[in-house]
């Protein structure tokens, strides 16, 4: 299994804190500081950064500066700069800012889609099909993030074939990638293995991403299960930023530094140095005004050495 | 791999909070409350409970009531009641209280052994050999917990063959079980797989336990790696109680409810219901006077349902 065969295998780590994290913050984060944050992430070795969301400023005031952030960040040519887009209007705004990739979103479960997007899944599908058509002549990659793939906090288990049917519809519409999202931390390793295996079999040409939350502590275990099925692309959020409205106080997204630390130790090539991440993450609590669930920020890297008791520090 | 083949496989969960957790608490926990806590754990379905430690009351005042706790707890015949024993005097005290199993402890790394036990490893080995000899005519099981197996916070990497040599010495002295402890959360999945596989090969007749800490967020991922190598016995601590003096504020032991929740979802037979654990765990913050790192206590079980927004609760 993959535990023994990492052997320098290339993995793609995609940072979602500037979008999935910041959108949940009650206190508005200054535009200049958002830009400085993304600029520091740009040199960390990520494959992709989800920068912002071109939604209505009324719906998500935290990201009302989407245009300015997207236009003013420094672009590293090795990084894909993505933005979430809910509709044709959002796609136009994103195209005006020359995003590399647009990320569409809808839920695998009907109740969550209605709760989160105020639309039925059929309405979401139609709306997102319009978005895809509207950018079909642009040079932009299109990814769709499917929420509640591993369980819905309102409905419970979600039939994987509902998920695959949605993915197939989007594949037919021409999306390049699909992200399977564990929106509220309901995924568990054997389920992840099963769904990842089936998804790879059904969609060999789609770029598959797994997006875990650590709500119930299983984000890294689920990553292991996905790796074992050949998944090589993961969303994560610096500091574990990002929450879940259904579990106040609980951990949010899979924490990038915890994830990268584990993967690097196992011999994967993430392209990211944990030191860089810890350095950027150290400013996050001040930036967002609260503590974060990151383990590594508290404990330090595995390679950290402590002096033996009684030993004297060298002068 | 084990992800698909759990299929009701029996796992043995061993609770260490009353010893490994309580020993780190600054505020003395009332003896009656300790007993009530262990009594509630006794009905939860554990294979083993490490109840206390027969160390010098001066060394660990938090457990100065070892005799009283051990004598007054109610014994469930399906549970092994273990206690930590550092020396012959401790073994005598434990035998007087009729413990089912004594747990010996020393470190795989020299520096940690000296720091933690104020002895060289050679001295620890000699002292523990005396303990084993002293109880050889008693009907008591003997386990040895080896610390820093997956890394030492002062020395760094630990040669697995140092660990296996120690385990072989103890096996020759007649111990029944060996626990491989990740004392400060330095284990990572591929390393766990390698060491677990080798240990099972070298010691087919010893009862092997894995003891993880969640200091760097990898406790559940490491458990997955160990399961995949056929390990079926795990220490864990309710609420994630138990700390690491080298990482203040960091998570402690693997959290029992988080662990059991994942294993049950995967189809293993832990014999434990998460509801019971959450119920007992809910009293822990008040008992110890501080918050605990448990994910499940914050987020609730995966099976928890939330009402859809706008839906009305039934009257």
């Amino acid at each position: 299994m993959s535990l023994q065969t990492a052997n320098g295998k290339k993995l793609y780590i995609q940072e979602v804190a500037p979008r999935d994290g910041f959108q949940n913050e009650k206190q508005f984060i200054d535009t200049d500081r958002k830009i400085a944050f993304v600029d520091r992430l740009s040199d960390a070795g990520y494959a992709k950064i989800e920068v912002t969301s071109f939604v209505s400023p009324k719906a998500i005031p935290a990201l009302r500066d989407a245009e300015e952030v997207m236009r003013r960040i420094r672009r590293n040519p090795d990084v894909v700069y993505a933005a979430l887009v809910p509709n044709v209007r959002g796609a136009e705004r994103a195209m005006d800012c020359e995003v590399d990739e647009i990320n569409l979103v809808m839920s695998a479960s009907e109740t969550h889609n209605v709760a989160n997007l105020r639309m039925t899944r059929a309405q979401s599908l139609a709306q997102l099909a319009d978005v895809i058509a509207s950018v079909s002549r642009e040079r932009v990659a299109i990814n769709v993030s499917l929420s509640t793939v591993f369980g819905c906090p309102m409905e419970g288990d979600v039939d994987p074939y509902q998920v695959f049917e949605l993915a197939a519809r989007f594949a037919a519409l021409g999306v390049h990638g699909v992200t399977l999202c564990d929106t509220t931390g309901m995924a568990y390793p054997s389920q992840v293995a099963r769904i990842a295996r089936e998804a790879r079999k059904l969609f060999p040409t789609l770029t598959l991403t797994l997006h875990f939350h650590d709500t119930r502590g299983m984000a890294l275990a689920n990553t292991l299960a996905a790796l074992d099925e050949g998944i090589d692309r993961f969303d994560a959020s610096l500091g574990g930023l990002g929450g879940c409205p259904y579990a106040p106080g609980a951990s949010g997204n899979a924490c990038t530094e915890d994830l990268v630390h584990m993967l690097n130790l196992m011999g994967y090539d993430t392209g990211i140095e944990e030191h860089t991440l810890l350095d950027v993450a150290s400013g996050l609590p001040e930036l967002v005004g609260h503590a974060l669930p990151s383990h590594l920020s508290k404990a330090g890297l595995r390679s950290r050495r402590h002096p033996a008791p009684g030993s004297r520090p060298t002068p």
Side-chain angles (χ1 to χ4, degrees), chain A:
Chain A
M1 68 171 286
S2 62
L3 293 178
Q4 278 77 54
T5 55
N7 225 344
K9 182 180 176 184
K10 175 72 189 154
L11 298 183
Y12 303 87
I13 308 298
Q14 311 182 155
E15 180 59 50
V16 301
R19 197 280 298 171
D20 202 3
F22 288 173
Q23 75 177 13
N24 287 308
E25 297 301 324
K26 290 204 186 88
Q27 190 187 309
F28 183 76
I29 297 165
D30 180 72
T31 305
D32 286 346
R33 299 191 75 184
K34 279 178 184 146
I35 293 165
F37 178 68
V38 175
D39 283 349
R40 293 190 70 188
L41 296 175
S42 281
D43 296 327
Y46 288 100
K48 193 195 288 184
I49 300 174
E50 190 159 300
V51 178
T52 188
S53 184
F54 289 94
V55 287
S56 148
K58 276 182 206 151
I60 304 187
L63 302 183
R64 62 178 186 251
D65 53 6
E67 269 87 354
E68 193 178 349
V69 171
M70 203 67 194
R71 285 206 176 106
R72 286 181 46 209
I73 52 167
R74 181 173 48 76
R75 299 280 190 105
N76 178 337
D78 295 332
V79 178
V80 171
Y81 294 89
L84 191 144
V85 157
N87 49 31
V88 172
R89 173 75 194 111
E92 288 166 359
R93 292 169 59 200
M95 289 301 97
D96 282 349
C97 300
E98 298 181 332
V99 305
D100 298 320
E101 178 173 310
I102 61 172
N103 187 24
L104 312 176
V105 63
M106 69 172 286
S107 304
S109 79
E110 184 77 2
T111 318
H112 190 268
N113 202 71
V114 171
N116 195 36
L117 303 172
R118 320 253 162 228
M119 279 184 276
T120 64
R121 284 176 299 180
Q123 290 169 322
S124 278
L125 256 173
Q127 180 162 314
L128 297 179
D130 286 347
V131 175
I132 294 167
S134 79
V135 297
S136 61
R137 275 176 305 198
E138 311 270 356
R139 284 185 50 192
V140 68
I142 310 172
N143 185 76
V144 59
S145 287
L146 300 176
S147 304
T148 66
V149 162
F150 302 91
C152 166
M154 291 161 281
E155 290 183 21
D157 281 319
V158 171
D159 181 348
Y161 289 91
Q162 285 187 17
V163 176
F164 300 142
E165 205 193 306
L166 276 177
R169 297 263 210 133
F170 281 105
L173 290 168
V175 304
H176 305 92
V178 170
T179 303
L180 306 176
C181 300
D182 180 27
T183 311
T184 62
M186 294 176 70
Y188 55 95
S190 50
Q191 178 200 31
V192 168
R194 208 166 53 236
I195 291 179
R197 188 179 332 120
E198 198 64 21
R200 286 198 72 209
K201 220 184 285 175
L202 291 170
F203 308 106
T205 60
L206 282 181
T207 300
L208 290 175
T209 298
L210 274 280
H211 174 114
F212 294 120
H213 278 228
D214 201 37
T215 324
R216 291 173 177 87
M218 292 185 277
L220 295 189
N222 287 333
T223 301
L224 217 56
L227 284 169
D228 196 47
E229 296 295 338
I231 299 293
D232 60 2
R233 197 172 278 271
F234 297 93
D235 281 352
S237 180
L238 202 69
L241 194 70
C244 160
Y246 303 106
S251 296
N253 285 275
C255 170
T256 315
E257 58 268 37
D258 291 356
L259 175 72
V260 165
H261 182 246
M262 179 180 86
L263 296 173
N264 286 354
L265 284 169
M266 292 176 71
Y268 287 101
D269 172 17
T270 61
I272 303 182
E273 289 242 337
E274 307 95 324
H275 285 102
T276 318
L277 294 184
L278 280 182
D279 197 30
V280 186
S282 67
L284 261 180
E286 194 266 327
L287 189 63
V288 299
H290 57 80
L292 290 166
S294 163
H295 287 86
L296 222 58
S297 292
K298 296 181 194 85
L301 302 178
R302 180 184 190 271
S303 56
R304 183 174 172 188
R305 291 293 155 269
H306 297 263
S311 68
R312 293 189 195 174
T314 47

